[in-house]
């Protein structure tokens, strides 16, 4: 089978820093991978995916971008930022009604010139939001526009390539620090970050580059949108295919811990509030309540159960989420 063309457009400032986070309560060592500092439109994990998603869009001759998310979607804001950088008009399908005053991610998305389509739908009505995206995309096609339509979270195999390469970046930075990562922990929701990291792990495993492979642990923060482990395995395998790899991930490679989500997506948890305080006081890391604080509460919770081991090196990928700190809805 011919190798598909993969085009990358530079949108992120890479590599992002790997900061020494000091000791965790168990004695394990924390390292913070600052993907909140990817640079595009105030940063976050989506910049890595968008480098490939937008490369693909340009290859397809797209003249505009369409995507979808919750009211305070970081993915929508960063797609708007990519649209601004590339001169592509961007349409964002978002949950909720139009607020009287735009805040947080929506304020930034509007500054980046995106058109916001408020659907009135609930944050967690992922399937209706996706149907709305499909309808809007069709309307744009009918009007003779050439939109590239990107699913929730940009979690396609093309987007996940960004995190297969991030895996290599993390391992190289650990080597520079003379440490070996035992675990890589991050927030997972639509699964593209997770699938990409698993693809990166499989590539390292088959190449025998690493004597010791880190555990890849996703902390789930959304019920309805999170792909189950089976589909993250499939997405990782599709990503490996795009990268021209013949090796494959298995379900054993995919670990999602759902115990730190609380009752559902965006519902506050005490553990996340506490984790955000811990991170702010330890390293002035700013974690948001919806994503990164829940992910970090998972890391602290696993550490409290001594899951990593007291001499482990644990990397937390800070996936961003800063703008929603400044939003009241
Ligand atoms: C700040 C932040 N962290 C983590 C994630 C989860 O990434 P993924 O959708 O690739 O699972 C998102 C997704 O929107 C996010 O905005």
């Amino acid at each position: 089978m011919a190798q598909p063309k993969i085009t990358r457009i530079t949108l992120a400032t890479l590599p992002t820093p790997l900061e020494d986070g000091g000791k965790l309560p168990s004695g394990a060592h924390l390292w913070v991978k600052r993907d909140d500092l990817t640079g595009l439109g105030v940063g976050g994990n989506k910049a890595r995916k968008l480098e490939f998603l937008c490369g693909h869009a340009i290859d397809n001759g797209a003249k505009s971008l369409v995507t979808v998310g919750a009211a305070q979607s970081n993915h929508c804001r960063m797609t708007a930022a990519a649209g601004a950088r590339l001169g592509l008009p961007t349409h964002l399908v978002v949950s909720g009604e139009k607020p009287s005053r735009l805040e947080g991610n929506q304020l930034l998305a509007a500054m980046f010139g995106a058109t916001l389509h408020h659907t009135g739908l609930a944050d967690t009505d992922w399937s209706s939001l996706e149907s709305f995206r499909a309808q809007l995309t069709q309307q744009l096609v009918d009007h003779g526009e050439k939109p590239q339509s990107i699913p929730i979270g940009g979690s396609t195999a093309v987007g996940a390539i960004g995190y297969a390469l991030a895996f290599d970046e993390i391992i190289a930075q650990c080597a520079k620090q003379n440490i070996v990562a035992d675990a890589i922990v991050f927030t997972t929701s639509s699964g593209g970050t997770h699938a990409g990291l698993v693809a990166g792990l499989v590539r390292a495993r088959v190449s025998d580059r690493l004597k010791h492979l880190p555990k890849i642990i996703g902390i789930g923060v959304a019920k309805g949108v999170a792909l189950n482990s089976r589909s993250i395995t499939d997405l990782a395998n599709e990503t490996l295919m795009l990268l021209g790899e013949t090796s494959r991930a298995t379900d054993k490679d995919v670990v999602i811990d759902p115990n730190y989500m609380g009752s559902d997506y965006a519902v506050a948890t005490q553990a996340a509030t506490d984790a955000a305080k811990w991170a702010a006081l330890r390293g002035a890391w700013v974690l948001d309540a919806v994503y990164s604080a829940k992910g970090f509460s998972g890391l602290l919770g696993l550490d409290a159960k001594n899951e990593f081991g007291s001499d482990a090196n644990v990397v937390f990928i800070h996936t961003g989420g800063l703008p929603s700190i400044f939003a009241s809805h």
Side-chain angles (χ1 to χ4, degrees):
M1 200 171 69
Q3 178 66 16
K5 186 173 165 207
I6 298 169
T7 302
R8 180 181 198 166
I9 290 180
T10 301
L11 292 171
T13 307
L14 301 177
T16 55
L18 179 72
E19 290 180 359
D20 186 337
K23 293 280 179 209
L24 288 162
S26 73
H29 207 109
L30 172 69
W31 299 86
V32 180
K33 177 64 173 161
R34 297 292 306 272
D35 272 14
D36 57 319
L37 301 181
T38 52
L40 177 68
V42 315
N45 61 340
K46 301 303 183 296
R48 292 188 189 267
K49 298 182 186 180
L50 284 162
E51 290 202 330
F52 291 95
L53 291 166
C54 291
H56 189 56
I58 302 288
D59 284 347
N60 288 344
K63 299 283 178 263
S64 60
L65 302 173
V66 181
T67 198
V68 57
Q72 280 300 322
S73 164
N74 297 295
H75 165 67
C76 284
R77 177 252 311 165
M78 297 190 75
T79 304
R85 287 267 290 267
L86 300 172
L88 296 173
T90 301
H91 294 268
L92 304 176
V93 173
V94 291
S95 62
E97 304 293 344
K98 185 170 187 213
S100 53
R101 189 168 159 270
L102 296 179
E103 290 181 333
N105 280 301
Q106 290 195 16
L107 174 66
L108 291 172
M111 282 175 71
F112 301 144
T115 306
L116 290 157
H117 301 261
H118 292 92
T119 57
L121 291 163
D123 256 0
T124 50
D125 194 353
W126 308 110
S127 61
S128 304
L129 283 163
E130 277 293 18
S131 306
F132 203 111
R133 171 177 70 91
Q135 278 166 32
L136 176 67
T137 305
Q138 191 54 51
Q139 278 166 22
L140 294 170
V141 170
D142 294 345
H143 280 93
E145 295 188 29
K146 283 185 114 191
Q148 180 76 24
S149 199
I150 300 171
I152 275 185
S155 285
T156 65
V158 169
I161 292 172
Y163 269 91
L165 303 187
F167 178 89
D168 296 342
E169 188 179 303
I170 292 169
I171 298 301
Q173 285 176 314
C174 287
K176 261 198 187 158
Q177 299 274 357
N178 282 321
I179 59 146
V180 174
D182 296 290
I184 299 178
V185 183
F186 52 95
T187 305
T188 183
S189 127
S190 66
T193 303
H194 198 163
L197 290 167
V198 168
L201 174 85
V202 171
R203 289 208 309 167
R205 182 162 68 207
V206 294
S207 71
D208 263 349
R209 267 185 289 136
L210 294 179
K211 287 199 182 68
H212 177 73
L213 293 166
K215 277 190 202 150
I216 305 288
I217 305 172
I219 307 295
V221 297
K223 276 184 198 160
V225 73
L227 301 167
N228 60 31
S229 1
R230 174 75 244 154
S231 349
I232 288 186
T233 311
D234 290 347
L235 194 54
N237 284 335
E238 225 185 294
T239 309
L240 285 162
M241 271 191 291
L242 286 181
L243 289 166
E245 299 285 343
T246 50
S247 50
R248 296 289 172 261
T250 70
D251 291 346
K252 274 200 206 141
D253 295 316
V254 178
V255 178
I256 303 174
D257 190 332
N259 296 315
Y260 300 90
M261 185 188 301
S263 58
D264 204 350
Y265 176 80
V267 179
T269 66
Q270 188 57 46
T273 307
D274 295 345
K277 271 190 200 152
W278 194 101
L281 294 173
R282 169 62 66 91
W285 301 303
V286 180
L287 305 181
D288 76 294
V290 179
Y291 293 102
S292 47
K294 280 191 179 170
F296 194 59
S297 74
L299 184 149
L300 291 178
L302 292 172
D303 182 67
K305 291 191 252 170
N306 208 10
E307 291 278 336
F308 304 121
S310 54
D311 53 0
N313 284 295
V314 182
V315 176
F316 177 66
I317 305 181
H318 184 339
T319 44
L322 174 76
S324 68
I325 299 261
F326 305 109
S328 57
H329 56 275

